[in-house]
Amino acid sequence: MKIEHVGLMVQNLENMRQFYEKYFEAKASEKYHNIKTGFQSYFMTFSDGARLEICTKTRVKPALKKRSVLTGYAHLALSVGSKEKVEALVKRCSADGFVIASGPRVTGDGYYEAVIIDPEQNEIEITI
């Protein structure tokens, strides 16, 4: 058994597609658009074959996100392969105006990671 993909509902589909392409080298599928329901999506495929479906729908509302602990999916963790790549990506994201929520650092459970906040206020954990 494996996780086939994770779905992420977003407000600005094109902006989020560009974010995952630019910073994580994901490749977007052709856009799916169901005219009847207003649903649109891209499957973003990463170099190891993992997929993230970013989706939107007519009149999607933003989640009430504050930097507190909520139930539900907490973050998306993406491995970039090395400590140096974590640091380089964090510097790049910071220079481009993204909030760095934590790190880079070694966590209590031994991960080397940093957490950035994506354009729609989701936590993205960047790790080795």
Side-chain angles (χ1 to χ4, degrees):
M1 178 136 356
K2 70 175 186 173
I3 295 174
E4 204 292 321
H5 70 272
V6 173
L8 177 64
M9 191 63 75
V10 302
Q11 289 182 275
N12 187 325
L13 186 63
E14 296 305 323
N15 188 41
M16 292 298 281
R17 177 187 56 80
Q18 292 170 3
F19 172 78
Y20 283 103
E21 288 174 334
K22 180 176 181 177
Y23 296 100
F24 299 101
E25 300 175 1
K27 304 290 184 219
S29 66
E30 286 193 36
K31 183 194 286 186
Y32 170 74
H33 186 187
N34 183 321
I35 296 171
K36 290 180 183 178
T37 66
F39 179 84
Q40 299 177 60
S41 72
Y42 288 106
F43 277 97
M44 305 303 298
T45 303
F46 298 90
S47 62
D48 72 345
R51 298 190 319 155
L52 174 68
E53 183 182 19
I54 53 173
C55 2
T56 195
K57 194 169 183 177
T58 307
R59 295 185 299 273
V60 67
K61 296 179 183 176
L64 299 175
K65 293 184 181 176
K66 296 184 179 175
R67 300 281 53 111
S68 60
V69 179
L70 303 172
T71 58
Y73 294 103
H75 63 270
L76 176 64
L78 297 170
S79 171
V80 295
S82 72
K83 181 178 178 180
E84 295 76 22
K85 288 181 180 179
V86 170
E87 292 169 357
L89 185 54
V90 168
K91 283 182 186 176
R92 186 174 168 207
C93 289
S94 180
D96 288 349
F98 292 100
V99 171
I100 310 304
S102 68
R105 65 189 180 97
V106 176
T107 64
D109 56 358
Y111 277 90
Y112 187 77
E113 68 175 37
V115 176
I116 67 166
I117 307 301
D118 80 8
E120 296 204 2
Q121 304 303 300
N122 300 296
E123 292 187 5
I124 308 294
E125 183 179 293
I126 304 168
T127 188
I128 296 174

